[in-house]
Amino acid sequence: MAKTALVVGASGIVGSATARLLTEQGWTVHGLARRPNAQSGVHPIAVDLQDPLATAQALHGIDPDAVFITTWLRQDSEAENIRVNSAMVRNLLNGLPKPGGSRHVALVTGLKHYLGPFEAYGKGVLPQTPFREEQGRLDVENFYYAQEDEVFAAAARDGFTWSVHRPHTVIGLAVGNAMNMGTTLAVYATLCRETGRLFAFPGSAAQWSGLTDMTDATQLARHLLWAAETNAAQDQAFNVVNGDIFRWQWMWSRIADWFGIEAAPFDGKVWPLEQQMADDAGLWREIAVREGLTEPDLARLASPWHTDADLGRPIEVVADMTRSRRLGFTAYQPTDDAFFALFERLRADRLIP
């Protein structure tokens, strides 16, 4: 019999990639989101996880073999992030029927586990890179920790297994997502080509010249499925990245070449995209109308604030995957290929010209 999955945040970058992989593998997939989009083979569930009663009603009769939690809601403070996002996980797990058999719950968080929340991002005493899972939590409030604690408490109560997945910056396709570097850079490059502006790296010298890595959404989906189906991966936390490392001074030129523009020399100054793109909404709408694009709203494609947070970090960030490799996860994804594949999809879907 086909296994059943519940993908929470199925309209997002990670959730949509996970739902697609699961359907390809023959799973019956329920995709939960506040506003589900149409996905082939996915049964949509529309609900706001902040409402515990509505969540329980929406999940009535669904007994998934695996639950993949790939969503969060950004708030104005970390205290509110903790309150809202922990409640969403709690409402979800309380709303599901008790497992009729075995069940695995996978939670996607990220490297802010090691770097700290947005209010204290990359500050204070941080663990050495490459980040390793055994380095544990920072002595700071973090909504990732609160989400984990909800999963751990529910697992102890209901008897399911769990895994936690910590990607670096995720590359993937999702319109309206607040954490979307790949599409943000594609839009930025398109605007530079349109206006003749410099395609200038917006971040720090540490990011320009230091080593880094990233996580393709399909690579993360493979990792989620692997953990759900691998007994040795149960009840563990994992870093998950593509498997290669690079420097932005190399990658920036690769991206520029794809768009047929020249990468500006880096002068050591931080020039945030949020500042560079502040007045571009009208221009993007003009481009969309002229080129017949499907999304004229710049805010639904680009998330400059999040890209600035990643590219402006004052430290080198690399994640170690030894724990997964030792347990048999060997998938590998070159990051430049991930960018180029995303750009091709954006063009094919008429999201960029």
Side-chain angles (χ1 to χ4, degrees), residues 93-139:
L93 297 177
N94 287 347
L96 279 168
K98 296 294 186 288
S102 62
R103 178 180 293 168
H104 185 81
V105 174
L107 171 67
V108 177
T109 61
L111 294 194
K112 286 191 290 296
H113 180 93
Y114 309 105
L115 289 163
F118 288 118
E119 292 178 5
Y121 194 56
K123 300 175 183 177
V125 179
L126 300 174
Q128 292 183 338
T129 57
F131 296 141
R132 301 177 186 275
E133 295 94 344
E134 61 268 22
Q135 289 168 325
R137 295 180 175 184
L138 300 175
D139 186 19

Side-chain angles (χ1 to χ4, degrees), residues 42 65 70 144 173 213 243-244 278 313 316 332:
V42 177
D65 298 284
T70 72
Y144 283 172
L173 177 62
D213 50 26
D244 63 342
R313 289 181 299 216
E316 176 180 280
Y332 173 86

Side-chain angles (χ1 to χ4, degrees), residues 3 72-73 99 107 130 142 177 187 193 201 208 236 246 248 251 263-264 291 299 312 317 320-321 328 338 342 353:
K3 291 184 176 181
W72 72 289
L73 282 177
L107 171 67
N142 190 323
N177 191 281
V187 169
R193 186 177 61 195
F201 184 72
W208 178 253
Q236 296 200 60
F246 63 91
W248 275 106
M251 185 67 77
E291 301 291 341
V317 177
D320 178 77
M321 277 195 69
L342 171 61

Side-chain angles (χ1 to χ4, degrees), residues 71-91:
T71 190
W72 72 289
L73 282 177
R74 188 189 184 200
Q75 305 299 311
D76 291 336
S77 69
E78 192 59 19
E80 278 299 289
N81 276 330
I82 290 169
R83 184 186 67 80
V84 170
N85 289 286
S86 62
M88 288 168 59
V89 174
R90 182 168 61 253
N91 293 340

Side-chain angles (χ1 to χ4, degrees), residues 124-347:
V125 179
L126 300 174
Q128 292 183 338
T129 57
F131 296 141
R132 301 177 186 275
E133 295 94 344
E134 61 268 22
Q135 289 168 325
R137 295 180 175 184
L138 300 175
D139 186 19
V140 63
E141 295 296 311
N142 190 323
F143 82 87
Y144 283 172
Y145 306 160
Q147 287 181 309
E148 287 181 346
D149 288 342
E150 293 293 344
V151 171
F152 301 158
R157 179 193 68 209
D158 295 338
F160 58 76
T161 61
W162 57 266
S163 56
V164 175
H165 304 255
R166 300 169 186 157
H168 199 166
T169 304
V170 177
I171 310 168
L173 177 62
V175 176
N177 191 281
M179 301 172 70
N180 197 337
M181 178 189 285
T183 305
T184 298
L185 293 181
V187 169
Y188 174 56
T190 300
L191 290 166
C192 288
R193 186 177 61 195
E194 173 79 12
T195 62
R197 281 188 229 158
L198 294 176
F199 184 61
F201 184 72
S204 67
Q207 287 300 302
W208 178 253
S209 58
L211 293 172
T212 194
D213 50 26
M214 297 184 76
T215 308
D216 181 73
T218 301
Q219 172 81 340
L220 178 50
R222 296 187 195 107
H223 197 259
L224 289 163
L225 178 56
W226 165 80
E229 296 184 326
T230 303
N231 289 338
Q234 294 176 357
D235 301 341
Q236 296 200 60
F238 299 98
N239 297 331
V240 50
V241 288
N242 288 335
D244 63 342
I245 55 175
F246 63 91
R247 302 180 198 276
W248 275 106
Q249 61 189 20
W250 174 80
M251 185 67 77
W252 200 249
S253 296
R254 299 276 289 159
I255 293 173
D257 289 346
W258 196 93
F259 283 94
I261 57 179
E262 186 175 347
F266 181 63
D267 62 5
K269 297 178 182 178
V270 176
W271 192 13
L273 289 179
E274 198 162 25
Q275 173 185 328
Q276 293 192 56
M277 300 172 69
D279 300 320
D280 285 335
L283 174 58
W284 184 260
R285 189 171 295 277
E286 291 176 11
I287 295 171
V289 170
R290 186 189 72 213
E291 301 291 341
L293 304 183
T294 58
E295 182 51 74
D297 185 352
L298 180 64
R300 285 182 49 77
L301 291 175
S303 52
W305 68 270
H306 185 262
T307 299
D308 288 339
D310 277 353
L311 298 184
R313 289 181 299 216
I315 58 172
E316 176 180 280
V317 177
V318 179
D320 178 77
M321 277 195 69
T322 299
R323 180 175 289 180
S324 295
R325 301 305 189 204
R326 283 175 172 161
L327 294 178
F329 182 79
T330 59
Y332 173 86
Q333 171 64 61
T335 301
D336 54 343
D337 287 352
F339 271 119
F340 301 155
L342 171 61
F343 299 157
E344 292 286 2
R345 288 187 64 195
L346 292 171
R347 186 166 283 173

